[in-house]
Amino acid sequence: MAKLLYITANPKNTVKLSKGMQIGEVFLEEFQKIQPDVEIERWHLYDMDIPEIDMDLLYARAKLSFMGYTKDQLTEAERTKLEKMHALADRFIDADYYVFVTPLWNLGAPAILKSFMDNVFIAEKTFTNTESGPKGLLTNRKAIHIQTRGGIYSNGPMSEYEMGDRYLSKALEFLGFDQLETIVAEGMDHFPKQAPEIMAKAKEQAAEAAKEMAKTPVTL
Ligand SMILES: Cc1cc2nc3c(=O)[nH]c(=O)nc-3n(C[C@H](O)[C@H](O)[C@H](O)COP(=O)(O)O)c2cc1C
């Protein structure tokens, strides 16, 4: 069965508190109308125990990559953490469609998103290094990023300062994703009177993007 991974990086724990998650629900609803058999798996990153790259993981990497150790020779902590990281990456790889929902926080995505992506960047699993540079292995995958922003970054003086969507889009591109789209709902904090209109437009775009994603099934 094909799977859609719905990844939210926002501590808000109910949809009604989060504008981004409200837009995300519209996407899911529309997607399910067309692809009712696709399994939707929700990953609320703040509810998950996301491994952080710490000293154990750094040692594990170095021992296996350059120091000639086998997995059995790692310490218990190193092995446990490494296995957890690989298990998370395997579950990530196992999906066909991906939806990320994040707010812009201090010019970037919430740090938990970066911690999460650190688990997914694994050489020879999700990318490989070739003579002509790194090559992503997660090809033929579609991703949508729904991003909310308090201010305006799509044009004007702040356009160079947005690094949340820029990071995620480039990271996914690096990993081989070939279809990426971002839906942005921006300016709602700075222009609250326009918020309903901005939300309505973003929901419309989300519904369209869902239809588009759903009608072209991936073939792995
Ligand atoms: C900690 C924090 C940092 C933020 N930093 C920015 C920022 O750098 N730029 C911006 O435009 N909005 C910023 N915002 C505003 C949010 O992006 C905005 O309120 C967004 O609509 C929240 O989406 P949500 O309702 O899905 O949580 C920040 C909000 C928080 C809580």
Side-chain angles (χ1 to χ4, degrees):
M1 187 195 267
K3 189 187 283 180
L4 183 150
L5 212 46
Y6 182 72
I7 300 172
T8 48
N10 195 326
K12 293 178 180 173
N13 55 7
T14 58
V15 170
K16 70 172 192 280
L17 294 177
S18 160
K19 296 184 177 80
M21 289 196 264
Q22 287 166 32
I23 299 164
E25 290 302 320
V26 171
F27 183 98
L28 292 181
E29 204 179 302
E30 213 51 50
F31 185 91
Q32 275 184 305
K33 280 186 202 161
I34 303 172
Q35 292 268 21
D37 295 333
V38 172
E39 182 193 350
I40 293 181
E41 194 169 307
R42 291 169 181 262
W43 288 9
H44 193 61
L45 297 185
Y46 278 88
D47 289 344
M48 296 169 72
D49 188 15
I50 305 289
E52 290 273 352
I53 296 182
D54 62 4
M55 213 51 210
D56 288 323
L57 277 167
L58 285 183
Y59 268 129
R61 263 170 80 106
K63 284 178 178 174
L64 295 177
S65 307
F66 327 110
M67 295 165 69
Y69 282 58
T70 64
K71 227 169 147 195
D72 296 342
Q73 293 169 312
L74 299 178
T75 66
E76 178 76 28
E78 289 164 358
R79 192 169 44 251
T80 308
K81 289 181 187 178
L82 193 71
E83 282 172 356
K84 204 168 157 196
M85 181 180 237
H86 278 253
L88 187 60
D90 286 337
R91 286 174 62 203
F92 181 77
I93 293 168
D94 189 36
D96 307 282
Y97 305 92
Y98 299 78
V99 179
F100 291 84
V101 184
T102 75
L104 183 65
W105 274 10
N106 304 323
L107 311 180
I112 200 163
L113 183 82
K114 176 64 168 60
S115 295
F116 170 70
M117 293 303 287
D118 281 343
N119 287 268
V120 169
F121 273 65
I122 299 183
E124 306 318 324
K125 191 186 274 285
T126 55
F127 71 95
T128 188
N129 290 308
T130 71
E131 276 184 10
S132 51
K135 187 172 174 300
L137 299 176
L138 304 186
T139 52
N140 197 22
R141 279 150 213 265
K142 299 156 192 289
I144 294 276
H145 180 205
I146 296 169
Q147 192 200 44
T148 41
R149 305 169 179 162
I152 303 285
Y153 292 74
S154 61
N155 54 62
M158 294 305 289
S159 58
E160 288 295 305
Y161 291 80
E162 195 291 315
M163 286 167 283
D165 179 57
R166 195 169 296 181
Y167 163 72
L168 183 62
S169 298
K170 284 291 163 202
L172 294 174
E173 194 181 303
F174 177 96
L175 294 175
F177 281 66
D178 47 16
Q179 290 201 31
L180 298 165
E181 186 179 339
T182 303
I183 292 164
V184 174
E186 64 176 359
M188 289 183 284
D189 295 352
H190 294 191
F191 306 101
K193 281 190 188 150
Q194 292 173 29
E197 196 186 316
I198 294 165
M199 279 297 281
K201 189 172 162 219
K203 285 180 181 176
E204 221 173 89
Q205 288 173 338
E208 273 314 303
K211 281 184 201 146
E212 199 53 42
M213 194 190 252
K215 82 175 184 211
T216 45
V218 285
T219 46
L220 289 178

